[in-house]
Amino acid sequence: MKKQNPIKFNWHRTVSLTVLCLFVFSLFSALAAPYKQKKRKKTDERVYLVHADELSYDVYSAVPDAQILRGKVHFTHAGSQLTCDSAYFYQESNSVEAFGHVHFRQGDTLSLTCDYADYNGADQMMHARHKVVLKHRTQTLYTDSLDYDRIYDLAYFFEGGKLVDGKDRLVSDWGAYSTATRQASFYYGVEMYSGKNHITTDTLHYDTRTSIAHIVGPSTVTSKGSIIHTTNAYLNSRTDQSQLFGRSTIVDKDKSITGDSLFHNSKTGLNEGFGNVIYIDKENKNELRAEHVLYNEHTGYGYATKRALMLDYSQKDTLWMHADSLKIFTFNMGTDSVYRKVHAFPHVRAYRQDLQAVCDSLVFNSQDSCMTMYRDPIAWNINRQLLGEVMKVYMNDSTIRKAEIIGQALSVEQVDGKNHFNQVSSTRMDAYFIDGAMRRADAVGNVKTVFYNTDQKDSVLTELNYLETDTMRMYMSPTRQLEKIWASKSVGTMYPVTQIPPDKYRLSEFAWFDYVRPTDKDDVFNWRGKKAGSELKAVRRREAPIRNFEF
């Protein structure tokens, strides 16, 4: 009888196959490591021939030690069934070579089909080749070269394969699947498709029972327009939950978030990051950094803490603002009237080269583009200091258009770098800006001022003007130079510099908090409160009179 599938001896082919077998053996050893506790033992249970339409034996053929079987060939071994069109049955070595429509079944959960297979009953090892399809419960594995080890319950392929598990599809060059644990491992050129998610990596471990994929090494995940770059991640296709480790980054159009650990749940909308988290919004030119960030995309609620830092680089220079904690609340989600409120508290400190500020807490409302600073707010601009009980700043995009100082308002400007200060105190101050420059300032209620006149020729201080009024309005040039002052009925005195009384140099409300002022972007993390006794005094609101009615 003429032997099927003859193999010609070729030295180069033999060397290549030897190297390939060694590589496969190394891969198999690594994959089977968790199963080392199961010691491989050869079994004495024989492979039994159940049926064949034809049986022949020829000692002079190419396979003298084999029984040649044709037509509806059927074997059994250790609870498994093997059928095929034809076979070589090596009874002495307890092994089989099967050809044509090979079908191997183990129990009612595993089925393997292929064009060719050899099976060794002693080692319980099957080598399946060409159009291999392994079905186990709800999983199906497609490949052209698969080895199945019944001792370790492990099937592994090395010439490309595809695993289909419901909506999940995985392909790779090399891989293994355990029928005992229902876990799969894939290596080299790995791609996973799950709904709208697409994963590319070189190493992926997949648990078919939980639908959790663990990707290792440089990997990319594309999902609904967003791209994830990670080196260590767990993705659950059943619950749409993601756990990213190893300094991962999620990019969504002009927005991105990076962190040591990132967690996402698409069902609840909850996103959470830990460890040097950096959120960047390129469109609005701002950035958020913190050690812990939480955001719910369904409710619009967010929270950041532990060295929380906000950056705004929409202007010529970057604004750095720190607070112990940041919260964001979103209202009217999913409507055209959506707006947000951002709360920063406590120990708020901000720095930009031309502007610095501190306060205990801050609220920004996108509905009216108003930023409100509470509890001893102070702001500095070059040599000017502003403070009060409450400060409100109204923005036009990212440019200031109006500022309000409400309660115990005080403006102090250092005139000559020494101890001479222009001062204005009042119940309230309003400032109006054009193109970011203050052009008008109004002081209302119990206004008191101290202003120095300067000799225009040599910039020497000449007089001090003290003024009291109810309302005062100041106009500035685009270069912030005082152009004119308007005041209602007022009382004032002018003193030559050499004749200024000691008690007139400073208003009773005067305060200069240069030791509190942030000095650079790193100094925003260093909280320095006011010295004891220099805080603003609490002013009680006037109470309505109590009327007693006698009956």
Side-chain angles (χ1 to χ4, degrees):
M1 176 181 174
K2 189 176 180 181
K3 183 180 177 181
Q4 300 183 43
N5 302 328
I7 299 177
K8 295 183 179 180
F9 181 83
N10 183 291
W11 173 254
H12 297 289
R13 177 179 175 85
T14 302
V15 172
S16 300
L17 289 173
T18 302
V19 173
L20 181 61
C21 290
L22 289 173
F23 185 79
V24 171
F25 178 77
S26 300
L27 177 62
F28 173 68
S29 299
L31 294 172
Y35 311 97
K36 289 292 185 182
Q37 69 275 13
K38 186 185 289 186
K39 187 176 180 181
R40 177 182 291 277
K41 291 183 179 180
K42 292 189 177 182
T43 177
D44 291 332
E45 190 170 353
R46 308 298 298 175
V47 174
Y48 292 102
L49 173 62
V50 178
H51 175 85
D53 290 346
E54 296 181 18
L55 185 153
S56 62
Y57 180 79
D58 187 354
V59 294
Y60 299 107
S61 69
V63 283
D65 54 347
Q67 299 177 32
I68 302 172
L69 311 171
R70 296 187 180 88
K72 299 180 180 178
V73 182
H74 181 191
F75 294 95
T76 64
H77 179 252
S80 64
Q81 310 288 326
L82 175 63
T83 59
C84 57
D85 293 341
S86 60
Y88 295 151
F89 181 27
Y90 303 91
Q91 199 164 9
E92 183 177 348
S93 62
N94 201 30
S95 60
V96 173
E97 279 190 87
F99 306 92
H101 297 96
V102 181
H103 189 186
F104 176 83
R105 297 182 299 279
Q106 182 174 296
D108 57 357
T109 60
L110 186 144
S111 170
L112 186 153
T113 60
C114 60
D115 288 345
Y116 167 82
D118 66 72
Y119 178 73
N120 188 313
D123 293 333
Q124 297 193 55
M125 173 70 76
M126 171 175 282
H127 303 95
R129 302 293 183 266
H130 310 304
K131 299 180 181 178
V132 182
V133 179
L134 174 66
K135 294 183 178 181
H136 182 243
R137 298 185 185 276
T138 59
Q139 291 76 46
T140 304
L141 177 63
Y142 301 89
T143 182
D144 262 352
S145 298
L146 182 137
D147 293 347
Y148 176 52
D149 190 328
R150 296 184 65 195
I151 298 294
Y152 290 116
D153 298 314
L154 187 68
Y156 55 97
F157 59 89
F158 40 85
E159 290 186 359
K162 177 176 70 173
L163 177 69
V164 177
D165 179 31
K167 66 177 182 179
D168 298 335
R169 293 182 297 116
L170 299 99
V171 297
S172 69
D173 295 340
W174 300 74
Y177 173 74
S178 170
T179 57
T181 64
R182 297 175 65 185
Q183 293 181 350
S185 296
F186 298 86
Y187 303 90
Y188 308 113
V190 183
E191 292 189 69
M192 178 176 177
Y193 300 86
S194 178
K196 295 182 180 180
N197 298 337
H198 178 209
I199 302 171
T200 58
T201 182
D202 272 344
T203 303
L204 184 148
H205 306 285
Y206 180 71
D207 190 332
T208 61
R209 295 170 301 180
T210 60
S211 298
I212 295 177
H214 178 200
I215 53 180
V216 182
S219 310
T220 301
V221 182
T222 304
S223 176
K224 300 177 182 178
S226 64
I227 300 175
I228 299 174
H229 301 284
T230 183
T231 58
N232 186 8
Y234 293 85
L235 308 174
N236 191 322
S237 61
R238 188 179 302 168
T239 62
D240 284 334
Q241 292 179 318
S242 305
Q243 300 178 359
L244 312 177
F245 305 97
R247 202 68 191 153
S248 303
T249 299
I250 303 175
V251 180
D252 187 359
K253 297 179 181 179
D254 291 330
K255 299 176 178 62
S256 68
I257 184 170
T258 302
D260 294 345
S261 303
L262 300 175
F263 302 89
H264 171 71
N265 187 325
S266 63
K267 288 187 177 180
T268 63
L270 187 64
N271 299 273
E272 196 165 10
F274 297 90
N276 192 20
V277 182
I278 302 176
Y279 173 80
I280 299 175
D281 184 346
K282 292 183 178 179
E283 181 181 0
N284 296 304
K285 297 182 179 179
N286 55 55
E287 188 174 315
L288 170 65
R289 302 177 185 178
E291 290 298 315
H292 179 203
V293 174
L294 180 146
Y295 182 72
N296 191 313
E297 58 193 34
H298 292 172
T299 63
Y301 170 77
Y303 180 72
T305 188
K306 296 182 180 178
R307 294 184 67 82
L309 179 68
M310 289 190 295
L311 287 74
D312 182 279
Y313 38 88
S314 59
Q315 301 298 302
K316 294 180 180 179
D317 190 29
T318 301
L319 174 68
W320 307 71
M321 189 183 80
H322 162 72
D324 290 355
S325 298
L326 300 170
K327 285 187 178 181
I328 180 171
F329 301 89
T330 306
F331 302 88
N332 304 328
M333 280 282 287
T335 68
D336 294 337
S337 57
V338 62
Y339 68 96
R340 293 176 174 85
K341 287 185 179 181
V342 178
H343 293 228
F345 61 96
H347 303 150
V348 180
R349 289 171 65 81
Y351 174 84
R352 196 170 67 189
Q353 286 187 355
D354 62 338
L355 176 67
Q356 301 84 43
V358 299
C359 64
D360 180 77
S361 55
L362 177 150
V363 176
F364 177 76
N365 189 338
S366 66
Q367 191 175 31
D368 55 4
S369 299
C370 177
M371 181 177 68
T372 307
M373 302 166 63
Y374 297 96
R375 294 189 61 183
D376 283 340
I378 312 174
W380 294 267
N381 174 242
I382 308 177
N383 59 343
R384 182 187 299 275
Q385 170 193 278
L386 299 172
L387 60 86
E389 294 178 12
V390 175
M391 284 189 187
K392 291 188 175 183
V393 179
Y394 296 88
M395 312 295 290
N396 184 12
D397 292 329
S398 57
T399 305
I400 183 172
R401 62 181 177 84
K402 181 183 178 183
E404 299 174 355
I405 305 175
I406 304 169
Q408 303 185 64
L410 175 66
S411 171
V412 179
E413 179 187 16
Q414 194 169 29
V415 178
D416 57 358
K418 298 180 181 179
N419 290 323
H420 298 98
F421 300 89
N422 289 334
Q423 305 153 55
V424 180
S425 73
S426 61
T427 303
R428 176 191 179 103
M429 289 185 187
D430 296 326
Y432 302 89
F433 297 78
I434 299 177
D435 296 330
M438 186 168 67
R439 301 297 300 277
R440 177 183 137 194
D442 297 347
V444 180
N446 194 25
V447 180
K448 293 186 287 184
T449 69
V450 169
F451 274 98
Y452 287 92
N453 290 335
T454 305
D455 186 285
Q456 296 184 355
K457 185 178 289 187
D458 50 15
S459 299
V460 176
L461 301 181
T462 57
E463 300 97 18
L464 180 149
N465 289 305
Y466 175 79
L467 180 70
E468 292 184 4
T469 184
D470 183 70
T471 303
M472 185 178 69
R473 186 171 295 164
M474 295 168 284
Y475 297 89
M476 273 71 71
S477 69
T479 58
R480 301 178 183 177
Q481 299 298 317
L482 182 63
E483 292 183 330
K484 63 179 180 178
I485 296 177
W486 174 90
S488 61
K489 294 181 180 180
S490 60
V491 176
T493 306
M494 185 178 68
Y495 302 95
V497 171
T498 57
Q499 301 177 29
I500 301 174
D503 61 340
K504 296 300 183 183
Y505 279 100
R506 297 180 180 178
L507 300 175
S508 59
E509 297 85 0
F510 175 85
W512 186 244
F513 297 109
D514 57 333
Y515 60 90
V516 175
R517 186 176 190 174
T519 57
D520 55 42
K521 62 182 180 63
D522 297 317
D523 192 37
V524 297
F525 292 103
N526 303 317
W527 175 257
R528 295 186 295 274
K530 294 178 179 180
K531 294 178 181 178
S534 61
E535 301 89 350
L536 291 178
K537 304 298 185 294
V539 178
R540 294 183 61 185
R541 294 184 179 180
R542 189 169 67 89
E543 298 179 358
I546 300 177
R547 296 182 178 179
N548 295 321
F549 296 93
E550 296 181 359
F551 297 93

